[in-house]
Amino acid sequence: MYKKIFSGVQPSGNLHLGNYLGAIKNFVTLQNEPKTDCVFCVVDLHAITVKHDPAKLKNNIRETTATFIACGIDPKKSIIFNQSSVSAHSEGAWILSCVSRMGWLNRMTQFKEKAGKDKEKASIGLYSYPILMAADILLYDATHVPVGNDQKQHLELCRDIAQKFNNDFKAPDFLKVPEPLIQKQFSRIMSLKDGLKKMSKSDPSDLSRINLTDDKDEIINKIKKAKTDPLKMPEIEDTLEKRPEVENLLGIYSSLLNQDLDKSKKEFKGKNFSEFKDRLSDLLIEKILPISKEIKRLLNDKKHLDNILLEGSVKAETISSKKIAKIKELMGF
Ligand code: TYM
């Protein structure tokens, strides 16, 4: 079967190790599989659902584009574009918002987390953002959507929206119901400061995450300061439920090496943390530093990045304009 992949990343600055291990690393693997077409979107319309600085948006879009490329996404093999340059995304989001139900959106936990205590002051965009995400996916007939674990509920909503649209407008199979691609292990990278909190760009402490633009000293310092516990490294049979920080650091190590958690446990069993942390820092430097350097290099040539987005947008427009035209026809416009 031919696979059609769609995924997106917000250009809100500070892309981090969670974005890389939970999503972008898998984009690259999928791109290199046979019989697979990939579309990767810099979702700039999603980035305005919270307060943003207009002076920084354009550069953040370029930085996310540079990050895609530095991580191994090849614009010759995959479509890379930014969402706001293809109007079908906003149009599709409006139409699908008339298909979606309030009750469905009211269940979205990410809105509750992001809106915080003062929901009255959150933007409508933040509330309806999963509908825009559904439009992104459905416009490209995506069969598979690689994401981190935090997007699981949004993908279930996308599936519900597609099924309801097909039912309401008597168009069986018209909107393709996508499969989420969420890794079984390491799909939720946690904060370096608190193993129960997700690694996130909105965490006020920069020590909580490894940014993909961090340099060698920053990586070493952050791993040195990463929270652990007074015990030694676990034995293979130890469960890590009560040691979330240890589980997270071992998970990061395993994911970077594409190896099983048990193998990493075996490697460090009973050792001191300092030895593990030194090895983890070395590995992060080996894997992340070349990405960080390449992002910086690519950002020196803004025109080149803008051209990649422009070419990608033309291709994305060709696909999505046909789909939106058909959607409108089915609705009776
Ligand atoms: P965003 O920009 O918050 O995150 C981009 C991708 O990174 C993953 N991710 C993580 N994975 C593991 N551990 C973490 N700590 C971590 N933090 C982030 C996210 O799961 C995501 O895959 N709504 C989406 C973007 C989006 C999209 C789409 C995705 C818009 N349209 C269509 C797929 C398909 C978002 O805000 O991701």
Side-chain angles (χ1 to χ4, degrees):
M1 190 189 96
Y2 225 95
K3 274 196 231 153
K4 288 190 190 175
I5 308 294
F6 185 99
S7 199
V9 175
Q10 289 197 47
S12 24
N14 286 349
L15 289 199
H16 51 73
L17 192 65
N19 299 122
Y20 178 65
L21 296 178
I24 304 173
K25 180 167 158 262
N26 304 324
F27 299 176
V28 181
T29 310
L30 289 161
Q31 165 193 265
N32 296 327
E33 282 180 4
K35 292 193 185 164
T36 308
D37 288 336
C38 295
V39 182
F40 298 118
C41 185
V42 180
V43 290
D44 49 9
L45 293 171
H46 277 98
I48 61 167
T49 55
V50 290
K51 199 166 164 23
H52 80 288
D53 181 352
K56 291 194 181 139
L57 185 58
K58 205 166 251 165
N59 255 326
N60 285 345
I61 294 168
R62 291 187 184 116
E63 190 171 315
T64 302
T65 309
T67 305
F68 280 176
I69 298 167
C71 290
I73 298 174
D74 177 354
K76 291 203 180 73
K77 291 188 187 163
S78 301
I79 298 178
I80 302 177
F81 77 108
N82 64 312
Q83 196 184 27
S84 67
S85 64
V86 178
S87 61
H89 291 256
S90 330
E91 213 177 339
W94 175 255
I95 292 174
L96 295 182
S97 75
C98 299
V99 175
S100 309
R101 303 293 96 177
M102 293 279 286
W104 298 355
L105 281 182
N106 286 341
R107 287 202 292 272
M108 295 296 117
T109 52
Q110 196 173 85
F111 172 75
K112 289 177 197 157
E113 279 161 26
K114 283 198 178 172
K117 287 199 186 85
D118 205 353
K119 286 195 187 42
E120 297 285 312
K121 286 206 177 130
S123 73
I124 307 282
L126 188 66
Y127 179 72
S128 64
Y129 131 149
I131 305 178
L132 175 60
M133 178 165 163
D136 297 341
I137 296 165
L138 299 173
L139 284 169
Y140 296 85
D141 291 335
T143 57
H144 296 83
V145 182
V147 283
N149 186 281
D150 62 330
Q151 297 298 324
K152 190 169 177 224
Q153 202 185 25
H154 294 161
L155 280 178
E156 281 158 8
L157 179 84
C158 173
R159 291 167 59 90
D160 288 343
I161 293 174
Q163 277 159 347
K164 185 164 189 299
F165 183 97
N166 292 345
N167 270 332
D168 286 359
F169 301 103
K170 302 192 177 41
D173 249 10
F174 169 68
L175 291 182
K176 301 287 171 269
V177 181
E179 292 295 329
L181 285 182
I182 300 172
Q183 305 168 93
K184 282 202 189 74
Q185 284 185 306
F186 326 128
S187 62
R188 192 173 172 82
I189 304 297
M190 310 309 276
S191 155
L192 299 180
K193 289 273 142 207
D194 177 351
L196 299 174
K197 255 172 64 185
K198 193 182 73 168
M199 185 179 284
S200 152
K201 44 197 157 198
S202 53
D203 193 313
S205 168
D206 198 52
L207 289 174
S208 69
R209 63 184 161 258
I210 303 282
N211 301 308
L212 297 179
T213 48
D214 280 348
D215 62 27
K216 191 174 167 182
D217 291 343
E218 284 168 317
I219 294 175
I220 292 172
N221 184 39
K222 285 176 181 180
I223 294 302
K224 202 175 272 167
K225 295 207 169 128
K227 188 175 168 195
T228 49
D229 56 34
L231 305 175
K232 286 197 179 276
M233 291 295 286
E235 300 291 329
I236 301 174
E237 56 283 1
D238 292 348
T239 68
L240 298 177
E241 257 163 56
K242 299 218 167 83
R243 305 181 71 187
E245 286 84 14
V246 178
E247 180 169 31
N248 186 44
L249 292 178
L250 272 169
I252 291 173
Y253 182 81
S254 310
S255 179
L256 285 167
L257 282 176
N258 293 318
Q259 78 179 19
D260 215 59
L261 190 66
D262 278 352
K263 190 161 178 218
S264 305
K265 275 168 124 181
K266 202 166 159 191
E267 209 176 319
F268 295 102
K269 69 183 164 101
K271 293 199 168 142
N272 286 328
F273 262 102
S274 57
E275 194 176 334
F276 168 64
K277 279 189 165 183
D278 286 348
R279 181 71 194 97
L280 178 60
S281 285
D282 287 348
L283 183 62
L284 279 163
I285 290 164
E286 182 192 323
K287 302 278 181 185
I288 301 302
L289 210 59
I291 295 177
S292 167
K293 284 188 180 153
E294 183 62 2
I295 294 173
K296 286 172 193 146
R297 191 189 69 80
L298 286 161
L299 280 171
N300 283 327
D301 192 349
K302 295 191 167 70
K303 229 184 182 146
H304 175 62
L305 292 170
D306 291 349
N307 271 336
I308 288 172
L309 289 174
L310 185 65
E311 279 175 24
S313 301
V314 172
K315 293 181 197 157
E317 171 88 36
T318 307
I319 303 171
S320 60
S321 62
K322 286 192 195 114
K323 194 76 182 177
I324 198 80
K326 191 78 184 130
I327 289 175
K328 287 166 82 174
E329 193 188 313
L330 281 167
M331 298 199 77
F333 285 112

PDB file of all heavy atoms in Angstrom, residues 52-62 302:
ATOM      1  N   HIS A  52       1.868  36.050  20.367  1.00  0.00           N
ATOM      2  CA  HIS A  52       3.140  35.862  19.673  1.00  0.00           C
ATOM      3  C   HIS A  52       3.692  37.215  19.257  1.00  0.00           C
ATOM      4  O   HIS A  52       2.967  38.214  19.252  1.00  0.00           O
ATOM      5  CB  HIS A  52       2.943  34.965  18.438  1.00  0.00           C
ATOM      6  CG  HIS A  52       2.383  35.697  17.261  1.00  0.00           C
ATOM      7  ND1 HIS A  52       1.075  36.114  17.202  1.00  0.00           N
ATOM      8  CD2 HIS A  52       2.950  36.138  16.106  1.00  0.00           C
ATOM      9  CE1 HIS A  52       0.866  36.760  16.069  1.00  0.00           C
ATOM     10  NE2 HIS A  52       1.987  36.787  15.392  1.00  0.00           N
ATOM     11  N   ASP A  53       4.961  37.235  18.907  1.00  0.00           N
ATOM     12  CA  ASP A  53       5.596  38.489  18.528  1.00  0.00           C
ATOM     13  C   ASP A  53       5.713  38.530  16.998  1.00  0.00           C
ATOM     14  O   ASP A  53       6.493  37.760  16.413  1.00  0.00           O
ATOM     15  CB  ASP A  53       6.989  38.531  19.192  1.00  0.00           C
ATOM     16  CG  ASP A  53       7.731  39.821  18.865  1.00  0.00           C
ATOM     17  OD1 ASP A  53       7.240  40.598  18.021  1.00  0.00           O
ATOM     18  OD2 ASP A  53       8.811  40.028  19.453  1.00  0.00           O
ATOM     19  N   PRO A  54       4.943  39.423  16.331  1.00  0.00           N
ATOM     20  CA  PRO A  54       4.975  39.459  14.865  1.00  0.00           C
ATOM     21  C   PRO A  54       6.381  39.675  14.312  1.00  0.00           C
ATOM     22  O   PRO A  54       6.717  39.177  13.238  1.00  0.00           O
ATOM     23  CB  PRO A  54       4.072  40.652  14.503  1.00  0.00           C
ATOM     24  CG  PRO A  54       3.249  40.898  15.715  1.00  0.00           C
ATOM     25  CD  PRO A  54       4.029  40.427  16.901  1.00  0.00           C
ATOM     26  N   ALA A  55       7.205  40.385  15.059  1.00  0.00           N
ATOM     27  CA  ALA A  55       8.561  40.657  14.566  1.00  0.00           C
ATOM     28  C   ALA A  55       9.402  39.382  14.507  1.00  0.00           C
ATOM     29  O   ALA A  55      10.408  39.322  13.810  1.00  0.00           O
ATOM     30  CB  ALA A  55       9.238  41.687  15.467  1.00  0.00           C
ATOM     31  N   LYS A  56       8.996  38.369  15.270  1.00  0.00           N
ATOM     32  CA  LYS A  56       9.818  37.146  15.317  1.00  0.00           C
ATOM     33  C   LYS A  56       9.247  36.008  14.489  1.00  0.00           C
ATOM     34  O   LYS A  56       9.930  35.019  14.233  1.00  0.00           O
ATOM     35  CB  LYS A  56       9.930  36.660  16.768  1.00  0.00           C
ATOM     36  CG  LYS A  56      10.753  37.571  17.638  1.00  0.00           C
ATOM     37  CD  LYS A  56      11.125  36.880  18.938  1.00  0.00           C
ATOM     38  CE  LYS A  56      11.931  37.798  19.829  1.00  0.00           C
ATOM     39  NZ  LYS A  56      11.548  37.702  21.226  1.00  0.00           N
ATOM     40  N   LEU A  57       7.971  36.133  14.081  1.00  0.00           N
ATOM     41  CA  LEU A  57       7.301  34.987  13.459  1.00  0.00           C
ATOM     42  C   LEU A  57       8.031  34.479  12.210  1.00  0.00           C
ATOM     43  O   LEU A  57       8.279  33.284  12.056  1.00  0.00           O
ATOM     44  CB  LEU A  57       5.828  35.326  13.155  1.00  0.00           C
ATOM     45  CG  LEU A  57       4.987  34.176  12.611  1.00  0.00           C
ATOM     46  CD1 LEU A  57       4.976  32.989  13.565  1.00  0.00           C
ATOM     47  CD2 LEU A  57       3.548  34.615  12.347  1.00  0.00           C
ATOM     48  N   LYS A  58       8.377  35.411  11.329  1.00  0.00           N
ATOM     49  CA  LYS A  58       8.988  34.999  10.068  1.00  0.00           C
ATOM     50  C   LYS A  58      10.289  34.221  10.309  1.00  0.00           C
ATOM     51  O   LYS A  58      10.544  33.199   9.674  1.00  0.00           O
ATOM     52  CB  LYS A  58       9.248  36.232   9.196  1.00  0.00           C
ATOM     53  CG  LYS A  58       9.286  35.893   7.729  1.00  0.00           C
ATOM     54  CD  LYS A  58       9.204  37.123   6.856  1.00  0.00           C
ATOM     55  CE  LYS A  58       7.876  37.209   6.147  1.00  0.00           C
ATOM     56  NZ  LYS A  58       7.595  38.506   5.571  1.00  0.00           N
ATOM     57  N   ASN A  59      11.076  34.722  11.251  1.00  0.00           N
ATOM     58  CA  ASN A  59      12.330  34.003  11.519  1.00  0.00           C
ATOM     59  C   ASN A  59      12.113  32.668  12.194  1.00  0.00           C
ATOM     60  O   ASN A  59      12.852  31.717  11.953  1.00  0.00           O
ATOM     61  CB  ASN A  59      13.302  34.864  12.321  1.00  0.00           C
ATOM     62  CG  ASN A  59      14.393  35.366  11.397  1.00  0.00           C
ATOM     63  OD1 ASN A  59      14.801  34.654  10.452  1.00  0.00           O
ATOM     64  ND2 ASN A  59      14.835  36.587  11.608  1.00  0.00           N
ATOM     65  N   ASN A  60      11.068  32.610  13.028  1.00  0.00           N
ATOM     66  CA  ASN A  60      10.752  31.313  13.643  1.00  0.00           C
ATOM     67  C   ASN A  60      10.315  30.298  12.584  1.00  0.00           C
ATOM     68  O   ASN A  60      10.636  29.109  12.683  1.00  0.00           O
ATOM     69  CB  ASN A  60       9.647  31.467  14.693  1.00  0.00           C
ATOM     70  CG  ASN A  60      10.164  32.116  15.968  1.00  0.00           C
ATOM     71  OD1 ASN A  60      11.368  32.196  16.188  1.00  0.00           O
ATOM     72  ND2 ASN A  60       9.265  32.605  16.795  1.00  0.00           N
ATOM     73  N   ILE A  61       9.602  30.783  11.567  1.00  0.00           N
ATOM     74  CA  ILE A  61       9.196  29.889  10.471  1.00  0.00           C
ATOM     75  C   ILE A  61      10.450  29.369   9.758  1.00  0.00           C
ATOM     76  O   ILE A  61      10.583  28.181   9.476  1.00  0.00           O
ATOM     77  CB  ILE A  61       8.266  30.634   9.470  1.00  0.00           C
ATOM     78  CG1 ILE A  61       6.951  31.003  10.156  1.00  0.00           C
ATOM     79  CG2 ILE A  61       8.000  29.791   8.218  1.00  0.00           C
ATOM     80  CD1 ILE A  61       6.073  31.972   9.369  1.00  0.00           C
ATOM     81  N   ARG A  62      11.389  30.288   9.512  1.00  0.00           N
ATOM     82  CA  ARG A  62      12.642  29.866   8.850  1.00  0.00           C
ATOM     83  C   ARG A  62      13.421  28.895   9.728  1.00  0.00           C
ATOM     84  O   ARG A  62      14.001  27.925   9.240  1.00  0.00           O
ATOM     85  CB  ARG A  62      13.514  31.083   8.553  1.00  0.00           C
ATOM     86  CG  ARG A  62      12.944  31.985   7.469  1.00  0.00           C
ATOM     87  CD  ARG A  62      13.939  33.074   7.110  1.00  0.00           C
ATOM     88  NE  ARG A  62      13.372  33.995   6.152  1.00  0.00           N
ATOM     89  CZ  ARG A  62      13.141  35.292   6.395  1.00  0.00           C
ATOM     90  NH1 ARG A  62      13.444  35.832   7.570  1.00  0.00           N
ATOM     91  NH2 ARG A  62      12.626  36.060   5.459  1.00  0.00           N
ATOM     92  N   LYS A 302      18.737  33.156   4.219  1.00  0.00           N
ATOM     93  CA  LYS A 302      17.279  33.240   4.372  1.00  0.00           C
ATOM     94  C   LYS A 302      16.563  33.006   3.050  1.00  0.00           C
ATOM     95  O   LYS A 302      15.509  32.399   2.979  1.00  0.00           O
ATOM     96  CB  LYS A 302      16.888  34.619   4.914  1.00  0.00           C
ATOM     97  CG  LYS A 302      17.403  34.886   6.316  1.00  0.00           C
ATOM     98  CD  LYS A 302      16.757  36.140   6.884  1.00  0.00           C
ATOM     99  CE  LYS A 302      16.976  36.287   8.368  1.00  0.00           C
ATOM    100  NZ  LYS A 302      18.334  36.594   8.787  1.00  0.00           N
TER     101      LYS A 302
END
